Amino acid sequence: MTHEATRGAGTEGSGGEDPGEARRLTTRETAELLGVKPETVYAYVSRGQLSSRRSPGGRGSTFDAAEVAALVRRTGRREPVPVAGELVFRTGITLIEHDAYYFRGVDATELAREYGYEEVAEWIWTGELRPGVRFTAPAESLAAARQTVAALPAHSGSTDRLRVAVAAAAAADPLRFDLSPQGVLSSARGLIPTLVAALPVVGEQPTAGSHDVAGGASASLARQLWPRLTRQPADEASLAVLDTALALLTDHDLAASTLAARVAASAHAHPYAVVSAGLGVLEGPLHGAASGLAHRMLSEVVERGSASPVVADHLRAGRRVPGLGHRIYTGEDPRAQVLFGLLEDVPQAARALAASRDVVATTARHTPLHANVDLALAVLSVACGMSAEAGETVFAVSRTAGWIAHALEEYTERPLRMRPSGQYTGPRPPQPLPAPVLRPAPLPRADPAN
């Protein structure tokens, strides 16, 4: 179908056009090539997937044949676009259906059980599995990131540090504006380990000097991240949970932060700016920071020995119980299922695991909500002596790979296609010039010494 559509797009025009101009197609011809109804063609236009031009005489629209052919190649199958008004992106990265999710058609939970984070990242980027692959931080970028992180106030959180590390790494990379697939992948393979290595080891003050871990660049990203999350020594079972969590969280379709990343990529922002856009949204309490709420709740359950009073306090205050329910999954979050299974092999996680089950069972008396990945991350962070923001750090580092994958897709689309129109609700013009507001000068502050 693709070859026939391409051939047809190059030979069938709307007539009456300048011979030196790119060939134009009528709405009917465009609909036939795409295998959709004529009204669906205009839905493609409204979503920025096609551009149109009024035909001579103003009767109907015409479409660029080459642009139509490119859309046919991208879609690869004849199906109508979703209902008008929905914001939909075609993506070959993640599919979520029937309480499961898949990376490029492969069960994501199976991938995460069998392969580490770097291998899964390469899979979603390229569709190629590279066993044993390791990412290496470029010396210049890492030095700049560490120096910038070290200059932050001591109370800064990990997401604060990741955001400035991205900016510093970008400034140190003169090739950041290379948006070719290989250029973007080269930047990504250097940025992710830079983010991890720029974070201070727990218990140490952030410095611009070396704070590498045993194994150095040859160690897995999970092993490098571990001492930046907790003082406790890493054991293989706990490391397996962390590595699997990183792999599981790599992407989850068009989450809020991923949409922000695609908007940045649509403007042809470089990959570091794309990651910065994602990090900005991720910090919201309803997205990446949700795991911190689950950590605090679970810590209290462990301390008090029962979920009942803790759940009651949340409900009394009108707050939802953290770590439960998901807008996509009707049953238990498949990511949580995998992590809970691995946490069974971590001896020090027994109390936190029991507390998480108590939370689910207690809440189920009122409403049957299942555990989500935030609760599983909370079990890991509580059991291994991590801070409340550890889950957010894991989320941010992991999802960086997903943002890059979506940027690679978006760079191949028509630039700036995401341009919604605002519905103005202010006063109708013309309005008179506003009168200036005169405010008295503020009084000087009193001297505390007096």
Side-chain angles (χ1 to χ4, degrees), residues 239-256:
L239 272 177
V241 177
L242 177 59
D243 200 8
T244 304
L246 288 167
L248 289 168
L249 292 167
T250 303
D251 189 57
H252 207 234
D253 196 31
L254 267 293

Side-chain angles (χ1 to χ4, degrees), residues 71-95:
L71 181 58
V72 170
R73 288 193 296 271
R74 289 201 302 274
T75 59
R77 54 184 175 178
R78 298 189 178 199
E79 59 181 24
V81 296
V83 178
E86 292 183 1
L87 183 61
V88 175
F89 298 83
R90 292 186 181 275
T91 175
I93 302 169
T94 302
L95 170 67

Side-chain angles (χ1 to χ4, degrees), residues 120-429:
V120 172
E122 286 287 342
W123 172 252
I124 69 169
W125 289 341
T126 67
E128 296 179 357
L129 193 61
R130 299 174 56 197
V133 66
R134 292 286 182 265
F135 299 156
T136 304
E140 298 83 357
S141 295
L142 181 54
R146 282 178 168 170
Q147 184 174 3
T148 307
V149 167
L152 290 177
H155 64 264
S156 299
S158 64
T159 306
D160 297 322
R161 290 167 176 150
L162 291 173
R163 284 205 308 268
V164 301
V166 171
D173 183 3
L175 302 179
R176 63 188 179 277
F177 298 105
D178 179 4
L179 302 187
S180 69
Q182 289 308 311
V184 173
L185 288 174
S186 178
S187 296
R189 291 172 183 135
L191 173 60
I192 295 175
T194 295
L195 295 181
V196 172
L199 294 173
V201 172
V202 174
E204 295 182 4
Q205 288 297 317
T207 65
S210 174
H211 28 249
D212 293 323
V213 298
S218 63
S220 69
L221 202 79
R223 189 174 292 276
Q224 295 179 54
L225 180 59
W226 182 269
R228 284 142 175 107
L229 299 176
T230 178
R231 295 173 185 267
Q232 291 187 13
D235 58 88
E236 292 306 314
S238 300
L239 272 177
V241 177
L242 177 59
D243 200 8
T244 304
L246 288 167
L248 289 168
L249 292 167
T250 303
D251 189 57
H252 207 234
D253 196 31
L254 267 293
S257 58
T258 304
L259 177 58
R262 287 199 79 129
V263 171
S266 180
H268 281 191
H270 56 70
Y272 298 88
V274 167
V275 172
S276 292
L279 283 171
V281 176
L282 187 74
E283 197 173 13
L286 301 181
H287 195 12
S291 61
L293 302 176
H295 173 102
R296 295 181 180 91
M297 180 268 298
L298 195 63
S299 294
E300 187 177 357
V301 173
V302 170
E303 181 181 349
R304 298 176 71 168
S306 172
S308 294
V310 179
V311 170
D313 287 345
H314 275 77
L315 297 178
R316 184 182 300 119
R319 300 189 304 265
R320 59 181 294 273
V321 181
L324 300 180
H326 198 284
R327 62 178 299 178
I328 293 178
Y329 302 115
T330 57
E332 190 173 53
D333 186 333
R335 301 168 296 179
Q337 288 180 346
V338 174
L339 294 180
F340 283 138
L342 292 174
L343 285 162
E344 295 281 0
D345 297 327
V346 179
Q348 67 267 32
R351 290 184 66 199
L353 261 176
S356 70
R357 296 191 186 101
D358 193 9
V359 169
V360 174
T362 300
T363 309
R365 301 175 195 169
H366 175 67
T367 180
L369 292 176
H370 299 276
N372 62 36
V373 72
D374 294 320
L375 188 60
L377 287 174
V379 172
L380 174 66
S381 57
V382 170
C384 297
M386 300 176 183
S387 69
E389 66 176 2
E392 183 178 352
T393 305
V394 173
F395 206 116
V397 170
S398 171
R399 192 55 58 87
T400 298
W403 296 331
I404 293 295
H406 282 271
L408 286 165
E409 284 192 336
E410 193 59 41
Y411 289 145
T412 67
E413 299 286 351
R414 185 170 63 84
L416 296 173
R417 64 194 180 111
M418 286 166 270
R419 180 60 172 89
S421 298
Q423 185 176 4
Y424 179 72
T425 59
R428 296 297 304 172

